[in-house]
Amino acid sequence: MPVYVYQARDNLGKSVKGKMETPDRAELARKLRAMGYLVTGIREEGLGMGRPSFLSRFTRVSSRSMLLFNVQLSALLNAGVTLIRSLNILSRQTEDRALRATVGELIRDVEGGSSLSVAMQKHPRLFSNTFVSMVRSGETGGELPEILTRLSKYAEEQTALRQKIQNALMYPVILTVLALVIVVLVVTYVIPQFVTIFAQGGMPIPLPTMVLYRLGIVIKGYWYALLAGIVAICAGARLYARSPRGRLNLDRLTLALPIVGELTRKAAIARFTRTMGMLVTTGVPVTQALDIAEATLGNAVLRGALKAVSQSVREGKGLAEPLRLSGQFPVLTVQMVATGEETGDLHTLLDKVADYYELEVDYAIKRFTVLIEPFFLVVMGSVIGFIMASIMIPLFRMVNVVSVH
């Protein structure tokens, strides 16, 4: 008979570990539940427990599919449907193959005696630390349906915020790509034909026309080298951005930019305070909540500041003063956190801060969109003006010569 190693929590939330010889995982899970334990992990002796699955390394699931999964799972559990049955329903219902396969693994793990949080922990690409920690908190407190409802609302808010930022950046990206395509076509096909006409007519070629002509020759003759150079630069920039020093420098530069920096900081604070408020509400300790919420900031400068804040909190200090000393969080955030600590209503004040900064992000995105349009119009107008000058100047000279003769 196999021996299984288990991890569980007792009625007081204390971690319990041990071994037991049972016919299978399901039998061990039943015995542990009969003893009043909340099972958090079971493995056969000699095998690993709680490691990321092979599938999770390659899983790619859209944010829309994950949002639907969260909403539907919380709705089913709130309706009184059992966890296993809810997962089976979602497995049959979802159209996303990767998500269906992942839910299948969740079902097998839960049926084998693992808790939902431990099963989800094996799929870090789909279920973040925030998600897993809140599910674990809901399991411990017996409030899993309520926790999943909060997570569904949180996922909706974060998806909406992310889409707003992506939509704001879409316009300049599309405009830049179109401008580059037009310029390349003009300098490689249109300008050479005009230069040939001017040369045959014995007309001197103006400097703007010659510049674009030479540029077209370089692009046509050495396009492979230019493409390789662009790829090398992008790869080097990506490697630099992934290094700790490079990430820090780029994020510091981002925060220093006039409009983008403001948008980045407000979006990060909105995510941070929303996550903190949700975690504190569900009973997660502040120190643990800080560690989890740190990942939502995204910016290395802000994450470094929050690490220092977390260390100060572990040393027994409050949350508001370390936030103020970091110099990276606005006065409003610090004052609201201080008020929450004084009144014992920290989660409510954190939610209010998140509401405020999400509204500020909306305004910042609108300002960004309003300012970026004329900026790109000026840039494109300048490029088009230069191209037109390189074509029209020799044309006018040719017309003058023809009219004289």
Side-chain angles (χ1 to χ4, degrees):
M1 192 176 296
V3 176
Y4 292 96
V5 179
Y6 65 85
Q7 294 177 355
R9 293 185 181 275
D10 60 18
N11 293 330
L12 299 177
K14 184 179 179 181
S15 179
V16 178
K17 299 180 181 180
K19 300 179 182 179
M20 190 177 295
E21 186 177 350
T22 58
D24 51 39
R25 293 169 181 259
E27 179 63 25
L28 175 56
R30 282 193 291 270
K31 289 183 178 181
L32 292 173
R33 285 195 289 267
M35 295 166 62
Y37 290 147
L38 172 67
V39 182
T40 58
I42 295 177
R43 66 172 173 85
E44 189 173 348
E45 191 171 27
L47 300 178
M49 176 166 51
R51 297 176 181 174
S53 68
F54 177 79
L55 174 68
S56 68
R57 301 175 185 176
F58 306 98
T59 301
R60 292 293 186 276
V61 178
S62 67
S63 57
R64 178 181 176 276
S65 296
M66 287 304 302
L67 179 59
L68 288 174
F69 172 81
N70 295 338
V71 172
Q72 291 170 349
L73 181 58
S74 64
L76 287 168
L77 292 177
N78 277 300
V81 182
T82 63
L83 177 59
I84 294 294
R85 188 180 176 190
S86 298
L87 291 174
N88 276 298
I89 292 172
L90 294 179
S91 178
R92 293 193 300 269
Q93 182 173 319
T94 182
E95 299 177 358
D96 193 306
R97 293 183 179 180
L99 181 57
R100 186 185 301 119
T102 302
V103 175
E105 288 198 10
L106 294 180
I107 293 171
R108 287 191 293 273
D109 287 341
V110 173
E111 286 179 338
S114 293
S115 64
L116 180 61
S117 60
V118 171
M120 288 178 167
Q121 197 170 7
K122 297 180 181 179
H123 307 276
R125 291 184 180 273
L126 272 65
F127 306 104
S128 64
N129 287 336
T130 303
F131 196 100
V132 172
S133 296
M134 288 198 62
V135 169
R136 184 179 297 116
S137 174
E139 291 171 332
T140 303
E143 299 179 349
L144 184 57
E146 292 81 1
I147 294 297
L148 286 172
T149 300
R150 291 197 187 110
L151 280 169
S152 300
K153 184 179 178 181
Y154 172 77
E156 290 179 21
E157 292 169 345
Q158 295 305 305
T159 300
L161 179 61
R162 185 165 53 250
Q163 287 178 345
K164 287 176 184 176
I165 296 175
Q166 290 174 349
N167 291 338
L169 296 175
M170 188 66 66
Y171 175 76
V173 169
I174 293 175
L175 208 57
T176 301
V177 171
L178 288 177
L180 289 175
V181 170
I182 292 171
V183 169
V184 169
L185 290 175
V186 169
V187 301
T188 54
Y189 293 100
V190 178
I191 295 296
Q193 295 180 18
F194 277 93
V195 170
T196 301
I197 295 173
F198 299 151
Q200 290 175 351
M203 298 293 300
I205 301 175
L207 179 60
T209 309
M210 184 56 66
V211 169
L212 293 180
Y213 177 65
R214 295 296 184 188
L215 178 61
I217 292 176
V218 171
I219 293 175
K220 292 180 71 173
Y222 302 96
W223 64 268
Y224 51 88
L226 292 173
L227 183 60
I230 293 172
V231 171
I233 292 173
C234 292
R238 187 172 182 179
L239 289 174
Y240 179 72
R242 287 185 172 182
S243 67
R245 185 178 183 84
R247 183 75 269 166
L248 182 63
N249 289 334
L250 290 175
D251 285 345
R252 186 179 289 118
L253 175 62
T254 300
L255 290 177
L257 294 175
I259 301 174
V260 177
E262 176 191 12
L263 179 59
T264 301
R265 187 183 298 274
K266 289 179 177 179
I269 292 175
R271 290 193 302 269
F272 163 68
T273 51
R274 181 68 70 193
T275 305
M276 278 290 296
M278 186 173 56
L279 291 170
V280 172
T281 300
T282 58
V284 177
V286 173
T287 53
Q288 184 181 348
L290 284 170
D291 293 337
I292 296 171
E294 179 190 323
T296 66
L297 286 171
N299 189 281
V301 177
L302 298 177
R303 291 180 65 177
L306 195 61
K307 280 184 181 293
V309 171
S310 180
Q311 183 60 37
S312 297
V313 173
R314 283 185 170 86
E315 293 172 357
K317 300 178 182 178
L319 180 59
E321 185 61 16
L323 285 175
R324 185 187 67 81
L325 293 175
S326 70
Q328 295 295 335
F329 295 88
V331 175
L332 173 65
T333 304
V334 175
Q335 290 179 342
M336 294 287 275
V337 170
T339 303
E341 289 181 317
E342 291 174 2
T343 60
D345 199 17
L346 181 60
H347 65 278
T348 302
L349 273 299
L350 285 169
D351 285 339
K352 290 184 180 297
V353 174
D355 291 338
Y356 171 78
Y357 279 107
E358 285 170 1
L359 187 61
E360 282 290 299
V361 167
D362 285 340
Y363 291 144
I365 290 173
K366 291 177 182 177
R367 288 196 296 270
F368 175 78
T369 305
V370 168
L371 293 175
I372 203 69
E373 290 182 7
F375 171 77
F376 271 92
L377 287 176
V378 170
V379 172
M380 289 189 67
S382 301
V383 172
I384 293 172
F386 185 82
I387 294 173
M388 292 300 296
S390 66
I391 297 173
M392 298 305 296
I393 290 175
L395 279 177
F396 286 143
R397 289 180 179 178
M398 182 177 291
V399 170
N400 289 334
V401 170
V402 172
S403 62
V404 169
H405 291 285

